[in-house]
Amino acid sequence: MPPRVSPSAPSPLRKLLAIRQPYRCLSCSLRLSQAQTQSAPQPQNASSQTTHFGFQEIPSSDKSSRVSSVFSSVASSYDTMNDLMSLGIHRLWKDHFVRSLNPGSKPLPQSPTSPETEEQRTEPWTMLDIAGGTGDIAFRLLDHATLINKDHSSRVIVSDINPAMLSEGRKRSFSTPYASTPRLSFLEANAESLPPEIEDNSIDLYTVAFGIRNFTHPQKALAEAYRVLKPGGVFACLEFSRVENSLLNAVYKRWSFAAIPIIGQLVAGDRDSYQYLVESIERFPRQREWRDRIAEVGFMIPGMGEDGDGGWENLTGGVAAIHKGVKPLSRV
């Protein structure tokens, strides 16, 4: 359990967020949440001078540093954070997410005339896990490739803008078979402008789980995903979303705004970070809008009907959702 923050020694995060109200009552949070829901978030212009940080409007240039401070604060209690945000179900969601992607190279059919030849396989996958600092998704991808598809060559690059999250992932990797092997590497990078070592058309699978809602310009990150994926490559996003059942939605919102920030204070000594994370979910686009934004950069959307319905998979009634996009083999 991370140490409590002494009231007499404010953390750097608290200083950074000093302009925040130190306390927001449940009824105020719910009213503000309803106002934000009624006024659906508009697509962000990459050149916009302001963006949202939870329910605040801030200069776009400030968001990256503020989000970095939040995740530096919660890095050591990341699993606890996700347990609180999802009532512990995030582990099941992540397992299902990876199974649905079925990562790893696959055996090619052998010729019946030469059954004893060495097994031939498709090319090993290169996977990029964005905002994946702690390795939660990366380790699952490699486990699935190795144990299910018997692929011992595919690799994952774990990318995160936050060095504290990457440090946590490196520490956790030592309890896996993949530490210090070519199959797992860590890269500090901004998903909105990936470094030259992530080349065009070089990635088979791009994943981002519970991260893209914190980006300053998510559309830039989508464009970068499209650029680096190979034709036929898959973009896959697991993110908190909007609950469709009104009763479940009311219960979940009350839990989110009333309990999570208080528990964050008790467990991690950090109410402000947990308040931001709850608010960030409310500001993230609804399922249909997020699907359309993915399509805007050129991805084909699996599961979308001719009538324009579908194209995502709700988990636990929409508390979270999986969105996927496939880069076309060629531009039409």
Side-chain angles (χ1 to χ4, degrees), residues 237-253:
C237 172
L238 170 62
E239 187 54 88
F240 287 109
S241 199
R242 299 299 178 93
V243 178
E244 295 186 339
N245 179 277
S246 58
L247 178 59
L248 177 59
N249 184 50
V251 172
Y252 182 65
K253 279 192 177 181

Side-chain angles (χ1 to χ4, degrees), residues 60-304:
S60 296
S61 57
D62 289 355
K63 183 166 182 177
S64 179
S65 62
R66 291 204 182 192
V67 171
S68 178
S69 294
V70 167
F71 282 90
S72 293
S73 176
V74 303
S76 61
S77 56
Y78 181 75
D79 283 340
T80 302
M81 178 193 77
N82 279 331
D83 284 335
L84 294 175
M85 302 290 283
S86 70
L87 302 178
I89 307 173
H90 71 100
R91 302 168 197 273
L92 300 178
W93 292 340
K94 290 171 182 175
D95 289 343
H96 174 72
F97 178 59
V98 170
R99 283 196 302 269
S100 76
L101 298 169
N102 192 22
S105 65
K106 314 298 189 296
L108 293 173
Q110 291 190 351
S111 169
T113 60
S114 53
E116 296 183 2
T117 58
E118 183 177 347
E119 180 184 61
Q120 299 295 307
R121 305 181 69 88
T122 57
E123 287 292 319
W125 287 24
T126 299
M127 297 171 272
L128 178 62
D129 184 33
I130 291 288
T134 61
D136 264 12
I137 297 298
F139 303 151
R140 284 173 167 84
L141 292 170
L142 289 172
D143 282 345
H144 186 101
T146 304
L147 300 175
I148 303 301
N149 287 322
K150 310 302 179 186
D151 168 13
H152 299 273
S153 301
S154 290
R155 68 190 187 102
V156 179
I157 303 165
V158 180
S159 177
D160 203 295
I161 197 172
N162 189 291
M165 295 290 281
L166 288 172
S167 176
E168 190 69 22
R170 287 190 182 96
K171 285 190 291 186
R172 295 183 183 195
S173 73
F174 291 116
S175 64
T176 76
Y178 315 114
S180 303
T181 74
R183 302 190 66 195
L184 180 67
S185 59
F186 292 85
L187 174 69
E188 184 178 337
N190 186 337
E192 296 176 15
S193 181
L194 291 168
E197 55 258 46
I198 308 296
E199 298 177 350
D200 294 3
N201 305 310
S202 63
I203 301 298
D204 295 281
L205 174 64
Y206 176 118
T207 58
V208 56
F210 304 119
I212 206 164
R213 75 180 188 279
N214 300 301
F215 294 177
T216 305
H217 301 116
Q219 209 68 14
K220 279 188 174 183
L222 289 174
E224 277 291 86
Y226 190 93
R227 176 184 69 81
V228 303
L229 277 165
K230 296 176 181 178
V234 174
F235 166 85
C237 172
L238 170 62
E239 187 54 88
F240 287 109
S241 199
R242 299 299 178 93
V243 178
E244 295 186 339
N245 179 277
S246 58
L247 178 59
L248 177 59
N249 184 50
V251 172
Y252 182 65
K253 279 192 177 181
R254 285 195 171 270
W255 165 257
S256 298
F257 285 99
I260 290 176
I262 294 173
I263 296 174
Q265 175 65 41
L266 295 174
V267 172
D270 186 351
R271 182 189 182 108
D272 286 328
S273 291
Y274 286 80
Q275 183 76 39
Y276 158 74
L277 291 165
V278 169
E279 293 176 1
S280 71
I281 296 172
E282 287 296 309
R283 293 303 305 264
F284 193 67
R286 293 176 180 273
Q287 289 91 323
R288 181 181 295 272
E289 182 185 350
W290 183 234
R291 177 205 67 189
D292 292 345
R293 291 199 195 183
I294 295 168
E296 281 174 10
V297 301
F299 286 112
M300 299 186 299
I301 307 298
M304 185 170 73

Side-chain angles (χ1 to χ4, degrees), residues 20-29 257-258 261-262 271-272 275:
R20 295 183 63 86
Q21 295 179 6
Y23 174 74
R24 180 178 288 148
C25 67
L26 170 61
S27 59
C28 295
S29 290
F257 285 99
I262 294 173
R271 182 189 182 108
D272 286 328
Q275 183 76 39

